[in-house]
Amino acid sequence: MIRDFNNIALYLSLCVLRLWCSTLPGYIHPDEFFQSPEVMGGDVFGYEVFRPWEYEQSPQCRSIVIPALTIGLPFYILKILNVWATKFGYSDIINSHSVFVTERLPFFFLSFGIDYTVYTIAQLFYPNNAIQSLLVLASSYVVLIFNTRPFSNSAESILLALLFCTYVKGSTPKFPLRRQPGDSSTDRHEFPANLAFLFGCIAAFGFFTRITFILYAFPIGIAFLHYIFLSERAQGKSWHSKFSELLPACLGLFITMGICVLADSLYFGTLKVTFDGVILSNDHIFEFLGNPAKFAKFGWRGKIIITPLNNFMYNMNSENLSQHGLHPRYLHIYNFVLLFGPLTLLTMKDLNVSVKFMRWTAKRTYKTVIVYSGLFGFVFLTLIPHQEARFLLPLLLPVIIVPSDRLHKLPILFWVVWVIFNLVFAIIFGGLHQAGIVPIMQKLQNQSLGFKHCEKFSGYFQCELGKKITNSVKNQSEIFTTNIIFYKTYMPPRHLLGYPKLWRDTNIQVNIYDLAGSSLSNLENLLSKQVLSKSSLIDNLWKENIIFQQNKNKNLTSFERTLLVTPSTTELAPLFIETYNEFISIGDNYNGNKKIKLKLIEQQWPHINFDHINRIFTKGINSYY
């Protein structure tokens, strides 16, 4: 009893750790921002964003449904809360930090769908080991880091877990391994209609999330059909009865697919809703409410779009895949070990022992189904030349469930290695990998949009740093432009900067230049166009402010500043033809242990401002101002 209490307390502690990890700034891959939050930031908040190719090319290759539900809806709720907060006299709560937390929290909560599935399987088939399975799952850095990020692969993993859980609950009696004397069968009489309908809905959502969902879900779908048509309890049933049992799943599948197709077609504009031959607008809603008979004039114009099919056709072209990177077929073996570490050997050992029992009539069909799900997805994904570790996130469920009935027998050495492995990779991917991008975007928002109390000094403007976003002014005489150059970094998520599209014609301008891994000469060319040389902006009097320099090459009312964001390991010395001045102490670094010393560049590129650097220096990436 005490041991169970300790295990439960440990699991709850790991849940709190998961919440904390969901707010860490580690930046794993650009897709965690650009597949959903970047697009929704533009749609909901009206920010100027970078929309990825899947949403921009014709025909579009990614459904908007899951991003809208998982990110767009929370963003919209934040927007409503902000309206109420300002109405009651509070300050604006929409900023870079609140947007970042809002896009992470939904996936933190959704990740417990995997916990629910593992717990359901454990309670049904090995109740004495249930807590051990949850502990392994909750301590995996895949859950702590990957599944709390808004990857489409994270949504795919969660939907696969819920699909499998629905199948198991619908095809298994409550206590299959504790049958009472006199019970004639361990099978249900029929698959419950509500669970069958849910099964179809989840399958459709998974298909519209990622086309690779089909690979992982195919064995589960076959098992579902086998249970309805060929299982022992189906013998003697009429075909009419069998198809009636299948009907709710078909309804759930096709209704959900229809909603997704309609939503995508309307969102991407290939299909228009018309009213009396005119494209529908908000004004028509009141006409419908006043006279419901006018619904008869409701119609459609255009064509539908099926985004998963377009995605499949795109990826069938090897030239398209080469644009995103081609990898050796064996790379997923490395990725599998990278994600699951010690569980890899444990799963392979159990798989080798149980492979001869993997049949649809096995006593524990659930293990057969989930093993085939993992194998089917893994094998077919190795045939695709573009391979990334996150594509294997759905394998988390098989590697937890396959050895789950003997986790309590594992030696202490396994648990020590497991904890060390996950701790190391959680720190790397959660707290170090490109971890300066998110904090920098938050600081840049204050510097680029929140400055205030600007005063003019001989061709310069000195402005105080603020936190509340400044209201832009149209047709104001002075125009303040901030140019931000990202060099040798991942793509900066523009929605975290929060620059509204409507501000393009106002006095506050922000331009982002993403040079990625370009050559140093490209950076030099860009700087030469933006930075006024031979004029120093560094002055102790301006140390606590931001400085805009008058750009005489453009017009007398244009004031600019150029900021360079690059890792501290980037070699910039070849840019500077003049010598550095002496070292000066700027301030404490991120963890407050020692002083940072930087060289101030006074000769060739003085407009790379170093103002307020002590407040924006972060781990993982340095920002050069």
Side-chain angles (χ1 to χ4, degrees):
M1 184 67 182
I2 296 178
R3 183 178 180 182
D4 288 342
F5 177 80
N6 291 337
N7 286 334
I8 293 173
L10 179 58
Y11 173 72
L12 293 177
S13 300
L14 289 171
C15 292
V16 175
L17 177 63
R18 189 186 312 185
L19 176 62
W20 180 69
C21 287
S22 69
T23 63
L24 290 178
Y27 187 172
I28 303 172
H29 190 278
D31 282 353
E32 70 181 271
F33 291 111
F34 289 88
Q35 283 183 340
S36 296
E38 185 80 355
V39 177
M40 290 295 102
D43 292 344
V44 177
F45 298 123
Y47 292 154
E48 191 171 88
V49 298
F50 179 85
R51 291 174 64 88
W53 63 270
E54 297 102 320
Y55 297 94
E56 289 298 288
Q57 73 170 27
S58 182
Q60 290 78 8
C61 295
R62 188 170 296 280
S63 174
I64 198 62
V65 175
I66 294 300
L69 292 175
T70 58
I71 302 297
L73 183 59
F75 277 0
Y76 188 72
I77 294 174
L78 177 63
K79 192 174 181 179
I80 294 175
L81 291 176
N82 184 65
V83 172
W84 283 97
T86 54
K87 184 178 293 187
F88 286 101
Y90 295 97
S91 60
D92 197 328
I93 63 173
I94 297 180
N95 52 51
S96 181
H97 180 70
S98 64
V99 169
F100 174 73
V101 172
T102 301
E103 69 191 40
R104 288 286 182 87
L105 284 181
F107 277 82
F108 162 74
F109 289 111
L110 289 172
S111 67
F112 285 96
I114 304 177
D115 297 56
Y116 175 74
T117 297
V118 169
Y119 182 76
T120 298
I121 303 300
Q123 284 296 98
L124 286 173
F125 298 102
Y126 44 93
N128 293 332
N129 294 0
I131 192 63
Q132 282 83 2
S133 298
L134 284 177
L135 289 177
V136 173
L137 174 70
S139 58
S140 171
Y141 88 93
V142 173
V143 170
L144 295 173
I145 305 300
F146 279 89
N147 284 120
T148 56
R149 266 85 174 149
F151 285 115
S152 62
N153 311 90
S154 301
E156 179 186 29
S157 302
I158 295 164
L159 289 169
L160 182 73
L162 295 177
L163 184 75
F164 180 63
C165 182
T166 304
Y167 159 74
V168 171
K169 292 185 70 174
S171 62
T172 308
K174 189 173 183 181
F175 301 106
L177 301 184
R178 289 183 283 178
R179 184 172 51 176
Q180 298 298 321
D183 289 349
S184 59
S185 174
T186 60
D187 284 328
R188 289 183 182 270
H189 182 65
E190 64 180 15
F191 204 101
N194 60 332
L195 291 179
F197 182 82
L198 182 61
F199 186 90
C201 293
I202 296 174
F205 277 127
F207 175 63
F208 275 81
T209 300
R210 291 186 65 86
I211 56 173
T212 54
F213 182 84
I214 298 177
L215 301 178
Y216 291 107
F218 181 76
I220 303 176
I222 294 297
F224 174 74
L225 295 176
H226 177 272
Y227 178 81
I228 291 179
F229 290 102
L230 300 177
S231 63
E232 182 180 349
R233 59 107 226 174
Q235 302 302 320
K237 283 192 172 186
S238 65
W239 284 101
H240 178 270
S241 177
K242 294 177 181 179
F243 277 105
S244 297
E245 194 173 350
L246 180 65
L247 181 61
C250 294
L251 286 175
L253 179 69
F254 290 112
I255 290 175
T256 305
M257 289 181 66
I259 293 174
C260 292
V261 168
L262 180 61
D264 288 339
S265 301
L266 293 174
Y267 178 80
F268 293 116
T270 62
L271 188 67
K272 301 289 186 182
V273 182
T274 62
F275 173 65
D276 198 15
V278 180
I279 295 177
L280 189 66
S281 67
N282 293 335
D283 296 333
H284 293 126
I285 297 176
F286 297 100
E287 294 188 41
F288 290 147
L289 296 176
N291 186 2
K294 291 188 176 182
F295 274 103
K297 299 181 180 180
F298 182 80
W300 308 92
R301 179 187 299 175
K303 61 180 181 180
I304 63 173
I305 182 173
I306 305 177
T307 51
L309 180 60
N310 296 336
N311 194 299
F312 175 76
M313 298 302 296
Y314 178 89
N315 284 283
M316 288 299 292
N317 189 333
S318 58
E319 293 183 0
N320 293 335
L321 287 179
S322 65
Q323 299 178 23
H324 306 281
L326 298 179
H327 308 103
R329 299 298 199 278
Y330 59 80
L331 185 61
H332 270 324
I333 298 176
Y334 166 78
N335 290 335
F336 186 64
V337 178
L338 177 68
L339 289 176
F340 306 112
L343 272 182
T344 304
L345 296 177
L346 192 62
T347 303
M348 292 298 101
K349 181 179 179 181
D350 275 45
L351 183 62
N352 182 54
V353 172
S354 60
V355 67
K356 57 185 176 182
F357 301 109
M358 287 165 45
R359 56 186 187 275
W360 303 120
T361 57
K363 185 177 182 181
R364 296 187 176 184
T365 310
Y366 77 95
K367 185 174 287 191
T368 300
V369 174
I370 202 60
V371 165
Y372 277 128
S373 172
L375 287 176
F376 204 79
F378 182 83
V379 170
F380 276 89
L381 283 176
T382 57
L383 302 179
I384 302 174
H386 180 62
Q387 302 186 2
E388 296 181 24
R390 59 195 173 88
F391 294 171
L392 301 183
L393 291 186
L395 290 177
L396 176 65
L397 194 63
V399 300
I400 294 293
I401 289 180
V402 168
S404 55
D405 54 354
R406 69 185 193 91
L407 288 176
H408 65 290
K409 300 178 182 178
L410 294 176
I412 189 65
L413 178 63
F414 168 83
W415 296 105
V416 172
V417 175
W418 175 250
V419 169
I420 295 175
F421 168 80
N422 287 285
L423 181 62
V424 168
F425 281 97
I427 293 174
I428 292 175
F429 288 113
L432 296 178
H433 192 262
Q434 293 281 320
I437 293 290
V438 170
I440 287 301
M441 298 307 292
Q442 295 171 357
K443 297 297 183 181
L444 287 175
Q445 185 182 64
N446 294 339
Q447 286 216 353
S448 304
L449 308 179
F451 57 87
K452 57 185 179 180
H453 302 153
C454 295
E455 298 181 10
K456 194 171 183 178
F457 291 94
S458 62
Y460 303 125
F461 259 99
Q462 170 185 320
C463 304
E464 294 181 11
L465 202 59
K467 292 187 176 181
K468 185 176 180 180
I469 305 304
T470 305
N471 291 323
S472 61
V473 179
K474 199 168 185 176
N475 300 323
Q476 180 168 312
S477 57
E478 293 86 8
I479 299 176
F480 299 98
T481 301
T482 301
N483 302 305
I484 308 172
I485 303 174
F486 287 84
Y487 180 60
K488 301 290 186 181
T489 72
Y490 272 179
M491 297 170 62
R494 272 80 160 173
H495 73 283
L496 292 183
L497 183 64
Y499 181 74
K501 289 182 287 187
L502 296 177
W503 284 24
R504 269 301 159 199
D505 296 326
T506 66
N507 68 315
I508 298 178
Q509 301 291 306
V510 178
N511 302 315
I512 291 182
Y513 301 89
D514 182 15
L515 296 187
S518 298
S519 64
L520 198 61
S521 61
N522 289 339
L523 174 61
E524 184 176 10
N525 292 335
L526 182 58
L527 286 172
S528 65
K529 296 176 183 179
Q530 295 182 352
V531 176
L532 302 179
S533 59
K534 303 299 180 183
S535 176
S536 176
L537 289 181
I538 306 303
D539 193 301
N540 290 331
L541 295 177
W542 295 342
K543 190 174 180 181
E544 298 298 321
N545 300 282
I546 59 176
I547 310 302
F548 290 90
Q549 183 178 21
Q550 187 177 56
N551 194 331
K552 297 180 180 179
N553 294 335
K554 296 183 180 180
N555 59 68
L556 297 178
T557 62
S558 177
F559 295 84
E560 295 191 18
R561 57 199 293 261
T562 296
L563 313 178
L564 175 61
V565 181
T566 188
S568 58
T569 55
T570 304
E571 180 56 60
L572 298 176
L575 282 179
F576 311 115
I577 61 176
E578 302 289 345
T579 58
Y580 295 115
N581 71 341
E582 63 181 15
F583 281 84
I584 68 169
S585 178
I586 299 296
D588 292 341
N589 70 353
Y590 183 85
N591 55 19
N593 291 332
K594 58 183 180 180
K595 298 286 186 179
I596 304 165
K597 291 189 176 182
L598 296 175
K599 295 176 180 179
L600 297 186
I601 305 158
E602 285 199 359
Q603 300 298 325
Q604 186 67 4
W605 307 115
H607 201 153
I608 302 177
N609 297 314
F610 288 81
D611 48 87
H612 239 61
I613 193 169
N614 58 312
R615 296 191 182 182
I616 60 174
F617 188 87
T618 57
K619 283 184 177 180
I621 180 172
N622 298 347
S623 294
Y624 285 80
Y625 284 75

